């Protein structure tokens, strides 16, 4: 291949992945929209609905990149607050935007975005400023395989389109288990195996033929997008990944296919 990723030994995968995301960081959000026709937004919205955070939820979003999941977490809680406030009478203290009273929902909840790549985090921070989320998100540079976080720290751990980029999936899962509090939930959104033969054929054509070309045209980078396509093919299928999650210690593990398995949501609890 152009990037030689299929033959790249495991020891240098981390380095190569770092290079890929440093190259694409500035164009990452645009490319996601272009490549998926905006569908990644719907998947991420749905992912957050499935997590269903409540007031006080402490979330860590690993391989969180430019903050898509973190911002959805905050909007979800914000909307919850907005609808709660419908029943509140006039005269209560409102936040500076003045739209609705600010309870404790957002104050008690928090999200940490952890990513190995500073360039991705920097884009995320700029987005947070533009969205006015500066106080509600913390940004942490760290490797999913050895998180710089104490045991039993979070209520929820999410990882979206990130785990396939790591070198040792088993280590990532063990770390997820370690940093979650007892009762905490692990949720992963990732590309997976397409279940319909016809769709798989179309999807393969699309991803191998079209995505690297789009990468070249939109982001000026063929190789990074070629890598992204290859990494999807190599990631374990739904059942196999569910088994790995169980092996890391999680219970009540299940998964749900999105668009016939183009992506899947896996979930498990530290019980
Ligand atoms: N979660 C974001 C989203 O859904 O838009 C970003 C996903 S992006 C495809 C993958 C991210 O994983 C990149 O930001 C990359 O830097 C990060 N990543 C890759 N390997 C990692 C590792 N070992 N630890 C933490 N982050 C990693």
């Amino acid at each position: 291949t152009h990037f030689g990723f299929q033959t790249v030994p495991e020891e240098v995968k981390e380095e190569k992945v770092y290079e890929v995301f440093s190259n694409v960081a500035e164009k990452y959000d645009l490319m996601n929209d272009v490549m998926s026709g905006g569908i990644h937004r719907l998947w991420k919205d749905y992912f957050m609905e499935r997590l269903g955070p409540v007031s006080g939820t402490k979330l860590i979003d690993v391989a969180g990149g430019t903050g898509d999941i973190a911002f959805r977490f905050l909007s979800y809680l914000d909307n919850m607050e907005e609808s709660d406030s419908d029943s509140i009478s006039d005269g209560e203290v409102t936040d500076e935007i003045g739209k609705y009273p600010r309870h404790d929902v957002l104050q008690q909840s928090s999200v940490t975005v952890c990513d190995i790549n500073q360039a991705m985090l920097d884009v995320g921070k700029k987005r947070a400023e533009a969205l006015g989320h500066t106080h509600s998100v913390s940004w942490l540079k760290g490797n999913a395989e050895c998180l710089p976080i104490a045991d039993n720290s979070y209520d929820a751990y999410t990882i979206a389109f990130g785990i396939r980029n790591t070198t040792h999936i088993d280590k990532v899962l063990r770390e997820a288990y370690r940093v979650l509090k007892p009762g905490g939930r692990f949720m992963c959104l990732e590309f997976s195996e397409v279940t319909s033969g016809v769709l798989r054929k179309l999807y393969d054509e699309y991803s191998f033929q079209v995505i690297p070309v789009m990468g070249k045209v939109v982001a000026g980078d063929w190789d990074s997008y070629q890598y992204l396509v290859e990494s999807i093919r190599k990631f374990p299928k739904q059942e196999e990944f569910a088994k790995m999650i169980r092996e890391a210690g999680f219970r009540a593990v299940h998964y749900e296919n999105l668009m016939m398995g183009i992506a899947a949501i896996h979930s498990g609890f530290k019980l």
Side-chain angles (χ1 to χ4, degrees):
T1 68
H2 288 261
F3 220 70
F5 257 90
Q6 277 159 348
T7 52
V8 161
E10 295 233 307
E11 313 86 76
V12 297
K13 179 174 174 182
E14 192 176 308
E15 218 174 283
K16 289 288 177 193
V17 167
Y18 194 91
E19 197 181 312
V20 165
F21 287 100
S22 301
N23 290 345
V24 304
E26 291 293 332
K27 292 279 169 83
Y28 177 77
D29 296 309
L30 170 68
M31 278 305 292
N32 269 351
D33 281 336
V34 172
M35 290 187 310
S36 74
I39 288 168
H40 77 105
R41 290 172 181 251
L42 305 179
W43 288 341
K44 287 169 180 167
D45 288 345
Y46 182 67
F47 183 61
M48 194 45 62
E49 270 172 43
R50 299 302 284 169
L51 176 65
V54 293
S55 168
T57 299
K58 232 181 133 204
L59 170 70
I60 179 158
D61 181 44
V62 176
T66 61
D68 265 6
I69 299 299
F71 301 146
R72 276 169 176 78
F73 171 77
L74 296 172
S75 311
Y76 187 96
L77 293 171
D78 234 350
N79 289 339
M80 202 159 95
E81 181 148 307
E82 203 160 3
S83 50
D84 282 356
S85 71
D86 287 349
S87 55
I88 290 169
S89 59
D90 291 346
E92 289 216 23
V93 179
T94 59
D95 69 350
E96 62 267 41
I97 304 161
K99 268 197 283 184
Y100 48 83
R102 221 165 247 287
H103 296 239
D104 300 329
V105 177
L106 276 177
Q107 272 92 7
Q108 288 169 3
S109 312
S110 68
V111 54
T112 303
V113 179
C114 176
D115 200 285
I116 203 167
N117 194 305
Q118 192 60 48
M120 293 290 279
L121 292 173
D122 289 345
V123 173
K125 280 185 202 168
K126 275 191 236 154
R127 290 178 77 199
E129 274 164 33
L131 293 165
H133 283 319
T134 40
H135 301 297
S136 343
V137 194
S138 39
W139 305 87
L140 175 69
K141 187 169 186 291
N143 187 339
E145 295 183 15
C146 47
L147 293 170
I149 285 164
D151 299 357
N152 306 320
S153 299
Y154 288 91
D155 304 300
Y157 172 113
T158 50
I159 185 162
F161 304 116
I163 201 162
R164 73 172 192 284
N165 294 299
T166 64
T167 312
H168 304 101
I169 299 171
D170 53 341
K171 281 192 192 164
V172 175
L173 293 172
R174 281 203 302 271
E175 280 293 87
Y177 191 85
R178 183 182 67 76
V179 301
L180 277 169
K181 294 178 190 169
R185 186 173 196 185
F186 165 84
M187 278 188 71
C188 174
L189 171 62
E190 190 50 270
F191 291 111
S192 205
E193 193 196 34
V194 179
T195 52
S196 137
V198 180
L199 183 63
R200 195 181 314 139
K201 205 160 177 301
L202 286 171
Y203 178 66
D204 278 350
E205 285 289 310
Y206 170 76
S207 45
F208 277 110
Q209 308 295 333
V210 182
I211 288 186
V213 178
M214 281 187 178
K216 179 76 190 159
V217 173
V218 182
D221 186 345
W222 175 294
D223 292 341
S224 295
Y225 287 91
Q226 168 104 11
Y227 157 69
L228 292 180
V229 174
E230 284 170 11
S231 66
I232 293 170
R233 292 297 168 279
K234 289 203 278 180
F235 190 69
K237 302 181 191 358
Q238 287 83 334
E239 277 299 337
E240 194 187 336
F241 185 43
K243 187 167 167 260
M244 295 177 85
I245 298 171
R246 277 183 213 108
E247 281 167 1
F250 289 102
R251 297 290 168 259
V253 174
H254 70 266
Y255 68 85
E256 185 180 345
N257 284 330
L258 306 180
M259 287 181 67
M260 294 186 174
I262 292 183
I265 294 175
H266 281 74
S267 157
F269 290 87
K270 175 170 174 176
L271 296 177

